[in-house]
């Protein structure tokens, strides 16, 4: 198939949230649809505040209402809206199937509503962003005044921690992960978790911030506690 061809199905997966002009993006996709074609849009679900709001390369956060409006404006009929199956169940990704007017799919499309009330969603997002804004203070209150501090993790959640809890990050001596690494992560050395006992002073007051997805923070905390460290979790403040 060539770009100039018409397609029965055009699929966009986790792209539209990165575009500067989502309406133009959808219109361009529709321009390549056959007369009876379908468009499938999949992107993070903005109907519930979660970490996608914190990603700097996400220009937009879309609710079901936003997606339905975009496809209607482009001349399509919005159809089923559902949770998108992903490899990681904790990912909150939605998808909307839209059809060209006059197709069988369009004639049977059910109107499943537009989702979250805007004023309620605004309040939820304000609360969520406020929790990030006070995360540094939350962690400071949970961290012992004396003893050493390390960070468990070097992924996306650890990067968010470095950006939004700078005082906590500055206090940490290094990052630890299983296996370690020769590289640096936001100015911190990355050591093998198995070496943590040799890196920390033998005073029994080594605290470790769980810089991983809040869904798995309790599991990591159990491991840290079993190994004699003080786990610092924040999943109670910021959900995944």
């Amino acid at each position: 198939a060539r770009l100039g061809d018409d397609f029965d199905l055009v699929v966009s997966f986790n792209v539209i949230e990165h575009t500067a002009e989502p309406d133009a993006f959808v219109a361009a996709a529709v321009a390549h649809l056959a007369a009876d074609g379908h468009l499938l849009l999949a992107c993070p679900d903005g109907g519930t505040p979660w970490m996608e709001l914190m990603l700097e390369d996400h220009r937009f956060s879309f609710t079901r209402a936003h997606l339905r409006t975009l496809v209607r404006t482009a001349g399509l009929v919005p159809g089923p809206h559902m949770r998108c199956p992903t490899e990681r169940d904790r990912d909150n990704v939605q998808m909307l199937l839209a059809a060209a007017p006059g197709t069988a799919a369009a004639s049977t499309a059910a109107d499943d509503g537009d989702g979250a009330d805007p004023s309620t969603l605004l309040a939820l997002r304000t609360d969520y962003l406020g929790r990030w804004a006070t995360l540094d203070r939350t962690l400071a209150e949970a961290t012992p005044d004396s003893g050493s501090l390390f960070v468990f993790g070097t992924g996306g959640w650890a990067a968010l921690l470095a950006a939004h809890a700078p005082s906590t990050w500055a206090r940490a001596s290094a990052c630890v992960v299983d296996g370690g690494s020769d590289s640096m992560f936001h100015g911190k050395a990355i050591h093998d978790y198995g070496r943590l006992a040799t890196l920390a002073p033998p005073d029994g007051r080594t605290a470790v911030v769980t810089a991983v997805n809040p869904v798995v923070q309790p599991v990591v905390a159990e491991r840290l506690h079993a190994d004699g460290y003080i786990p610092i979790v924040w999943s109670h403040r910021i959900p995944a």
Side-chain angles (χ1 to χ4, degrees):
R2 298 166 299 179
L3 187 59
D5 293 339
D6 291 333
F7 299 93
D8 295 326
L9 175 66
V10 173
V11 177
S12 168
F13 189 85
N14 285 352
V15 176
I16 191 171
E17 67 273 17
H18 300 279
T19 63
E21 299 181 23
D23 51 348
F25 174 80
V26 173
V30 172
H32 293 290
L33 282 180
D36 59 349
H38 296 74
L39 172 65
L40 180 67
L41 290 176
C43 66
D45 190 348
T48 301
W50 62 300
M51 65 94 70
E52 65 109 6
L53 290 176
M54 312 305 296
L55 302 179
E56 61 181 355
D57 60 330
H58 285 207
R59 294 169 177 253
F60 294 90
S61 176
F62 296 102
T63 66
R64 174 169 48 184
H66 294 141
L67 294 183
R68 292 171 68 89
T69 298
L70 282 169
V71 298
R72 284 193 186 107
T73 301
L76 299 183
V77 178
H81 175 278
M82 65 197 77
R83 180 182 175 88
C84 182
T86 63
E87 293 181 0
R88 300 179 300 180
D89 290 338
R90 58 183 178 272
D91 287 345
N92 189 12
V93 180
Q94 62 181 330
M95 60 183 181
L96 176 72
L97 182 66
T103 64
S107 63
T108 58
D111 188 346
D112 54 359
D114 284 334
D117 171 69
S119 59
T120 300
L121 182 58
L122 175 60
L124 291 173
R125 287 184 174 181
T126 300
D127 175 72
Y128 182 80
L129 295 175
R131 290 170 182 259
W132 277 102
T134 58
L135 179 60
D136 222 352
R137 185 178 66 202
T138 298
L139 294 175
E141 293 172 350
T143 304
D145 294 332
S146 60
S148 54
L149 180 66
F150 291 84
V151 171
F152 186 99
T154 55
W157 287 94
L160 289 175
L161 183 73
H164 298 281
S167 296
T168 301
W169 191 262
R171 184 183 165 191
S173 299
C175 295
V176 292
V177 296
D178 290 319
S181 173
D182 293 331
S183 61
M184 302 286 287
F185 184 80
H186 290 265
K188 303 295 183 184
I190 307 173
H191 298 292
D192 179 14
Y193 174 75
R195 292 188 56 224
L196 182 55
T198 66
L199 299 171
D203 57 8
R205 294 187 59 78
T206 299
V208 183
V209 180
T210 55
V212 295
N213 191 302
V215 172
V216 298
Q217 283 186 25
V219 177
V220 174
E222 288 183 7
R223 179 184 181 187
L224 293 169
H225 185 267
D227 290 340
Y229 305 117
I230 303 172
I232 308 298
V233 300
W234 39 284
S235 53
H236 60 292
R237 287 291 299 162
I238 298 177

